[in-house]
Amino acid sequence: MREEQDMRVLLVGAGGVGTAITRIAARRPFFDEMVVADYDLGRAQAAVDSVGDPRFRAERVDASDPAAVVALLGRTGCDVLLNATDPRFVMPLFTAAGEAGATYLDMAMSLSKPHPDRPYEQTGVKLGDAQFAQSDAWAAKGALALVGMGVEPGLSDVFARHAADELFDEIEEIGIRDGSNLTVDGYDFAPSFNIWTTIEECLNPPVVWEAARGWFTTAPFSEPEVFDFPEGIGPVQCVNVEHEEVLLIPRWVGARRVTFKYGLGEDFIRTLRTLHQIGLDRTEGVIVPGPDGPVTVSPRDVVAASLPDPATLGARMRGKTCAGTWVRGTKDGEPREVYLYHVVDNEWSMAEYGCQAVVWQTAINPVVALELVATGAWTGAGVLGPEAFPARSFLDLLTAYGSPWGLREQAATRTAAVGS
């Protein structure tokens, strides 16, 4: 492994996850500068001010304008673009990084489009298709785009690679299972993550991978099951949801079936279905009266603006969140079933970083990945998912950050902290 190289990072997006990234990164020495850019300069400046580190400074940028992002990369000398915006801005930022010759990293991939005739049977445009279509061009330039490197997708994919490398000889099924017992004081409905993204992934047709069929879709909230989450969270009903892991894992990890199920709960599912039934999940604009005449607004943007900012809910939140990867297969000729997981207690993340658990858990993983790139532990070219890289180095560094992961042998329902 080579010594750490100079790294200048352009972080685009200073919301909850972006702010958490700055607070985590400020404790690490692997980069020289991090420019925090947002459409709202005040929000970017607040994120910078919260760390009190001279390596950070704020800029304003419109993430939907690739030319402006390219210009900012050139002006700041940043050689890495870390995308902490919602998925609508993936392609403009991905395009800008490619044009500027910068390393690119995101936590969500380019958006999907359902099949026009059979949306609950066949895939249309899949998550990440637009990015993977450019993989050869990135590889030809020797440039790296590391996509889906948050917690889910991200750490969950690292867990899948680790299972294939060290825990199994043959894998029958990989299932990402996400659940929590988080509550928010004073709110009947207050999502702990970006509601625009939550609506997108929960109401789109979920994708499933089977080796015999390839990728196919089902109806939203299909195949409900109760999954018992560790560290006191307990049983949570989980349902199929569209998510990047199902599109990423089969490209690098051999398995007969891959799914993603999210622990939403009946009340949350009911609310999302109601939003869909009355059209408030739509992204295309509708014309509504305004004080100065008719204006065009997106119904989903109205929903998002009407709900509290998830980044501000930490003081009201109680409980833990768990992201993990359930794997079933064989090892040394014997059946094996494990759950690899990462749990964050909101009380701890608020006390230690001033960030609520869900955004902090998302934010730590791209910082770990950046450090692995900076030190040369992770190298590559093209559009690559987390599964394309050795998992052990990531998991060891995650533990060194003070955030250990866990492994539960399902047959014995034994939970063991790893690296603690």
Side-chain angles (χ1 to χ4, degrees):
M1 188 185 303
R2 68 175 184 267
E3 294 297 319
E4 293 179 7
Q5 63 184 23
D6 294 342
M7 177 179 278
R8 285 180 163 77
V9 181
L10 174 61
L11 169 64
V12 182
V17 173
T19 297
I21 285 171
T22 64
R23 295 176 184 180
I24 295 165
R27 302 187 183 191
R28 306 298 296 187
F30 67 88
F31 65 98
D32 295 304
E33 184 176 40
M34 184 172 288
V35 177
V36 184
D38 197 279
Y39 188 80
D40 181 344
L41 179 59
R43 188 161 70 164
Q45 190 62 55
V48 169
D49 292 344
S50 74
V51 296
D53 185 326
R55 293 179 298 166
F56 293 79
R57 63 186 177 93
E59 291 277 354
R60 184 191 180 280
V61 76
D62 181 350
S64 68
D65 184 351
V69 177
V70 170
L72 182 57
L73 284 164
R75 189 169 74 252
T76 59
C78 290
D79 54 346
V80 176
L81 193 161
L82 173 52
N83 176 3
T85 65
D86 74 51
R88 288 174 290 181
F89 303 105
V90 163
M91 288 311 296
L93 293 173
F94 175 80
T95 299
E99 291 180 3
T103 297
Y104 172 83
L105 193 151
D106 64 29
M107 290 162 274
M109 298 180 68
S110 59
L111 293 171
S112 64
K113 292 182 181 178
H115 190 280
D117 303 315
R118 303 170 69 182
Y120 303 134
E121 299 174 38
Q122 298 181 13
T123 60
V125 175
K126 301 186 299 299
L127 291 168
D129 275 359
Q131 290 171 286
F132 281 120
Q134 299 185 35
S135 185
D136 289 346
W138 279 70
K141 295 187 293 185
L144 171 63
L146 174 49
V147 296
M149 192 59 255
V151 61
E152 290 174 342
L155 179 57
S156 50
D157 304 76
V158 172
F159 283 149
R161 171 67 186 266
H162 177 64
D165 285 351
E166 300 189 26
L167 305 180
F168 290 86
D169 297 323
E170 190 170 351
I171 294 175
E172 182 71 24
E173 184 169 0
I174 296 174
I176 313 306
R177 300 293 184 265
D178 177 298
S180 77
N181 59 2
L182 291 170
T183 59
V184 182
D185 296 341
Y187 289 98
D188 293 327
F189 184 76
S192 57
F193 200 69
N194 182 297
I195 187 60
W196 198 100
T197 304
T198 301
I199 290 173
E200 180 75 15
E201 63 191 22
C202 290
L203 293 178
N204 276 353
V207 181
V208 175
W209 160 267
E210 291 182 357
R213 297 178 61 181
W215 286 292
F216 62 94
T217 57
T218 70
F221 314 120
S222 58
E223 298 181 358
E225 67 176 56
V226 175
F227 192 86
D228 188 16
F229 289 91
E231 298 194 18
I233 295 174
V236 179
Q237 179 173 285
C238 299
V239 293
N240 278 327
V241 167
E242 181 193 48
H243 231 252
E244 286 90 344
E245 291 95 326
V246 180
L247 289 312
L248 286 168
I249 289 172
R251 298 175 188 267
W252 287 279
V253 177
R256 292 189 177 90
R257 178 176 166 88
V258 182
T259 60
F260 180 98
K261 291 189 180 183
Y262 199 3
L264 295 172
E266 285 297 328
D267 289 344
F268 202 99
I269 291 172
R270 190 179 305 112
T271 299
L272 290 176
R273 282 180 167 153
T274 299
L275 291 174
H276 178 65
Q277 288 168 354
I278 61 179
L280 288 178
D281 62 323
R282 293 162 52 194
T283 58
E284 61 272 20
V286 297
I287 299 173
V288 298
D292 300 315
V295 295
T296 300
V297 297
S298 157
R300 193 184 300 184
D301 286 343
V302 173
V303 172
S306 301
L307 291 170
D309 180 351
T312 67
L313 295 176
R316 294 173 173 263
M317 287 173 61
R318 305 287 181 269
K320 300 176 181 179
T321 185
C322 178
T325 303
W326 164 74
V327 187
R328 178 170 59 89
T330 58
K331 178 68 172 177
D332 298 328
E334 296 293 328
R336 191 181 193 188
E337 185 176 332
V338 304
Y339 182 58
L340 302 106
Y341 65 88
H342 185 251
V343 171
V344 178
D345 187 320
N346 187 75
E347 182 179 0
W348 174 86
S349 64
M350 286 297 296
E352 185 71 14
Y353 285 89
C355 300
Q356 55 105 318
V358 177
V359 299
W360 187 91
Q361 188 183 47
T362 303
I364 189 172
N365 297 287
V367 181
V368 171
L370 282 179
E371 183 160 345
L372 292 172
V373 171
T375 61
W378 276 14
T379 60
V383 178
L384 302 177
E387 304 87 346
F389 302 92
R392 173 57 68 177
S393 56
F394 186 99
L395 296 175
D396 287 348
L397 187 54
L398 179 66
T399 299
Y401 271 53
S403 190
W405 52 285
L407 169 66
R408 181 175 69 187
E409 296 281 356
Q410 294 290 93
T413 63
R414 178 178 58 84
T415 301
V418 176
S420 57

